[in-house]
Amino acid sequence: LPLFGEVDLQKQSLLVSTLLIAFVDGVNPCSVWVLTMLLALTLHTGSRKKVLIIGLIFLTVTAGIYALFITGLFTVLKVLSFTTWIRVVVALISLFFAIVNIKDYFWYKEGVSFTIDDSKKPGIFQRMRKVLDAGDSFWGTVGATIVLAAGVSLVEFSCTAGFPVMWTNLLTAQNVAPGVFIGLLLVYMLIYQLDEMVIFGTAVFSLKASKLEEKHGRILKLIGGVLMLTLAVVMLFNPALMSQLSSSLIIFAIAFVLTVLILLLHRKILPAFGIWIGSERDAH
């Protein structure tokens, strides 16, 4: 390739896996919901400058905290060394996250659920309003936004922990050096923030904010859950498959096809026979 020279794609499986996992992790209903609500409240001020300041600070702080969380996971797994029992435990944790996310597609927020609890939402709204109450004070707005972003990040960890656990597990399994980890982490965070940057950019230029509806949240949960389930099974039985580009792509393709089949079966085929599974029909 021009500029890059010769590139061996068989050695790029970690990069491809990072890109795909980070993208699916980024379309997390929890983080998208918080950002859209914050932008919706901020847009009522009619100030593009305020939207820009609050949005950029919020995205930067939440990304920084998330990166520190992922770095901590990677460090712990490195210190413990990647023995078989650790791989199995981490894969089982990821499997649990996957099952709960898939359950959330069918029975949203029922039982164990990795979503922002409804009881915590009023408190988040109050913090958002404090950001707006900072008025025209630049540093007041900055400080209030940082506090909000830090608080929301802690609440969101239960929603987002699954993929970082799986991804750091994958990197540790392939004995990635710290320098390579930092490079891949930067790529991860860039892709992870991509969807939120699109939402944010649209709001800044149009002064309009879209709202994440429950039906969208369900589909995002299904996509994330199926991918996490597929990766957890691979890590349990044959983690070496993720070290090659061809097999990695096949694994991601299988997860995508499974997701499409579940959506077709649940939303088209079964309803045609009068069969409904889950609580989505009751929600509408």
Side-chain angles (χ1 to χ4, degrees), residues 17-275:
S17 297
T18 298
L19 292 172
L20 293 171
I21 292 174
F23 180 75
V24 177
D25 189 16
V27 288
N28 185 293
C30 294
S31 56
V32 173
W33 176 84
V34 172
L35 180 61
T36 54
M37 289 299 101
L38 177 62
L39 289 175
L41 286 173
T42 311
L43 287 169
H44 281 300
T45 65
S47 170
R48 184 175 275 111
K49 179 182 177 182
K50 181 167 282 191
V51 174
L52 188 62
I53 292 173
I54 291 176
L56 283 176
I57 294 173
F58 183 84
L59 290 175
T60 302
V61 173
T62 52
I65 292 174
Y66 200 48
L68 288 174
F69 171 64
I70 294 175
T71 302
L73 286 174
F74 179 76
T75 303
V76 169
L77 289 176
K78 270 287 188 182
V79 170
L80 291 175
S81 75
F82 196 72
T83 57
T84 301
W85 72 270
I86 292 176
R87 172 172 60 83
V88 171
V89 168
V90 174
L92 288 175
I93 292 172
S94 300
L95 195 62
F96 173 69
F97 272 88
I99 292 171
V100 173
N101 277 319
I102 294 173
K103 183 276 303 176
D104 265 338
Y105 168 72
F106 293 100
W107 293 276
Y108 200 62
K109 294 185 177 182
E110 294 185 16
V112 178
S113 179
F114 297 130
T115 54
I116 296 178
D117 193 274
D118 290 336
S119 64
K120 295 179 180 178
K121 288 184 177 180
I124 294 175
F125 275 122
Q126 288 179 0
R127 294 188 189 99
M128 289 180 181
R129 293 190 184 282
K130 286 182 179 178
V131 172
L132 300 180
D133 290 341
D136 296 327
S137 169
F138 174 79
W139 292 112
T141 301
V142 170
T145 305
I146 291 174
V147 171
L148 169 67
V152 167
S153 295
L154 296 177
V155 173
E156 283 183 359
F157 276 151
S158 62
C159 300
T160 59
F163 276 116
V165 169
M166 174 58 66
W167 184 67
T168 50
N169 186 27
L170 176 64
L171 265 57
T172 311
Q174 298 194 33
N175 198 27
V176 168
V180 177
F181 165 74
I182 292 173
L184 289 173
L185 179 61
L186 291 174
V187 173
Y188 191 104
M189 295 311 303
L190 177 65
I191 302 301
Y192 173 78
Q193 291 287 83
L194 195 60
D195 66 307
E196 294 185 351
M197 289 302 294
V198 170
I199 295 171
F200 170 63
T202 302
V204 169
F205 287 104
S206 68
L207 287 181
K208 294 180 181 178
S210 57
K211 182 181 178 182
L212 181 70
E213 298 178 8
E214 181 180 308
K215 63 180 179 180
H216 302 137
R218 286 176 180 266
I219 294 175
L220 294 179
K221 284 285 187 179
L222 179 65
I223 295 171
V226 172
L227 177 58
M228 208 179 301
L229 175 66
T230 308
L231 292 174
V233 171
V234 171
M235 292 304 295
L236 271 174
F237 296 103
N238 192 0
L241 289 174
M242 295 302 297
S243 63
Q244 297 181 346
L245 180 63
S246 55
S247 54
S248 294
L249 291 175
I250 290 172
I251 290 166
F252 284 107
I254 289 173
F256 175 76
V257 170
L258 281 175
T259 303
V260 173
L261 288 176
I262 292 172
L263 285 171
L264 283 174
L265 189 65
H266 180 251
R267 298 191 169 216
K268 298 293 183 181
I269 298 174
L270 291 181
F273 292 96
I275 301 173

